[in-house]
Amino acid sequence: MKPTTGHRRQSGFTLIEMVVAMVLLGIIAGLVARTASSSLTLANNIVQTQNEEMLHQAFLELLARRFSALPPDTRFDLKVQDSGSHYLSDITLQNVPMGFTWGGQTRIAKAIQISTVKKRSGYLDIVLKYYENEILEGAESSFGSTATSKEPFAEIVLLTDVAYFEWRALDGRSMEWQYDWDLQGRLPLQLELVMAIGAKGEEIRQVFWIPPKRATTNG
């Protein structure tokens, strides 16, 4: 009589094991994809932040070079207006001739202006404006000029999405800070800029030195 043999367990996976394996594989794949996506987003944010910081630093360096190289006869004017939600400012530099090519033509700007422009979004644009004629009151070439001659012939947006952008000027005689400056024949000793970019941007505070006018001597 032959001995009876028990039922052997079939080799391979059962349906339940296959389902469990597929579920686990899906979970692992999802975690890997989520981690990769988070890493990619973080890398993009880091690159964007670095690019923005480089742009902001280049903007501050541009201002520092411009203010430190002002000619002795520069006419400086700072006007600030309270718009309710922002302080809007215009810094005008006159008697600072600047020649460059614009629209294929060589142009000379007799006055430049750094202006804050309020946008519908609630943020500010910082705009550099070039004027072909002198625009400050009392300038010799401004007498008899038309309104259209005081319009800028070129505008360049330097910064966008600025939360606030505020100037003040240090009077070298009284050593007091002024929020407006219209003193003819005098330049402030320092300019202080306080600004922030975007809703969560950190406050940036920068002080610019302006070289004093040199006394002229009769030879």
Side-chain angles (χ1 to χ4, degrees), residues 108-180:
I108 296 179
K110 294 184 179 179
I112 60 175
Q113 195 173 70
I114 304 171
S115 299
T116 55
V117 179
K118 189 175 180 180
K119 310 299 289 185
R120 290 184 178 180
S121 61
Y123 291 104
L124 304 171
D125 280 353
I126 310 304
V127 182
L128 181 60
K129 302 178 180 180
Y130 295 89
Y131 295 85
E132 199 166 18
N133 296 292
E134 296 176 341
I135 59 175
L136 295 177
E137 295 181 1
E140 294 181 0
S141 62
S142 65
F143 292 104
S145 61
T146 62
T148 56
S149 65
K150 291 188 177 182
E151 293 296 321
F153 68 83
E155 296 185 5
I156 299 175
V157 178
L158 300 177
L159 292 176
T160 59
D161 297 330
V162 178
Y164 55 89
F165 190 88
E166 300 173 5
W167 291 101
R168 63 177 185 166
L170 179 63
D171 189 332
R173 296 182 182 178
S174 65
M175 299 306 293
E176 294 181 352
W177 289 99
Q178 309 289 336
Y179 292 93
D180 292 276

Side-chain angles (χ1 to χ4, degrees), residues 10-210:
Q10 295 181 353
S11 61
F13 297 101
T14 65
L15 179 60
I16 295 178
E17 291 173 334
M18 290 291 293
V19 171
V20 172
M22 292 178 64
V23 171
L24 292 176
L25 183 60
I27 294 175
I28 294 174
L31 292 175
V32 171
R34 187 177 304 173
T35 302
S37 178
S38 300
S39 300
L40 182 59
T41 301
L42 178 60
N44 290 336
N45 290 338
I46 292 175
V47 172
Q48 182 179 359
T49 301
Q50 291 176 341
N51 291 338
E52 291 176 352
E53 290 178 352
M54 291 175 60
L55 175 62
H56 302 161
Q57 186 62 34
F59 170 74
L60 296 175
E61 291 177 357
L62 171 66
L63 294 180
R65 289 195 303 269
R66 175 57 57 187
F67 291 138
S68 64
L70 291 178
D73 60 341
T74 298
R75 177 87 181 273
F76 179 91
D77 186 270
L78 169 61
K79 287 184 171 58
V80 178
Q81 175 187 357
D82 186 356
S83 68
S85 58
H86 295 88
Y87 287 101
L88 304 180
S89 63
D90 289 320
I91 283 186
T92 304
L93 301 175
Q94 198 162 272
N95 300 332
V96 188
M98 180 182 298
F100 59 97
T101 301
W102 182 266
Q105 298 180 352
T106 301
R107 309 291 292 270
I108 296 179
K110 294 184 179 179
I112 60 175
Q113 195 173 70
I114 304 171
S115 299
T116 55
V117 179
K118 189 175 180 180
K119 310 299 289 185
R120 290 184 178 180
S121 61
Y123 291 104
L124 304 171
D125 280 353
I126 310 304
V127 182
L128 181 60
K129 302 178 180 180
Y130 295 89
Y131 295 85
E132 199 166 18
N133 296 292
E134 296 176 341
I135 59 175
L136 295 177
E137 295 181 1
E140 294 181 0
S141 62
S142 65
F143 292 104
S145 61
T146 62
T148 56
S149 65
K150 291 188 177 182
E151 293 296 321
F153 68 83
E155 296 185 5
I156 299 175
V157 178
L158 300 177
L159 292 176
T160 59
D161 297 330
V162 178
Y164 55 89
F165 190 88
E166 300 173 5
W167 291 101
R168 63 177 185 166
L170 179 63
D171 189 332
R173 296 182 182 178
S174 65
M175 299 306 293
E176 294 181 352
W177 289 99
Q178 309 289 336
Y179 292 93
D180 292 276
W181 188 279
D182 59 356
L183 301 176
Q184 296 191 33
R186 288 180 55 194
L187 293 174
L189 180 63
Q190 293 180 358
L191 282 174
E192 183 188 62
L193 172 63
V194 179
M195 69 174 186
I197 310 295
K200 299 181 180 179
E202 295 183 359
E203 182 174 279
I204 301 173
R205 185 181 300 269
Q206 184 75 26
V207 175
F208 304 95
W209 286 85
I210 297 180

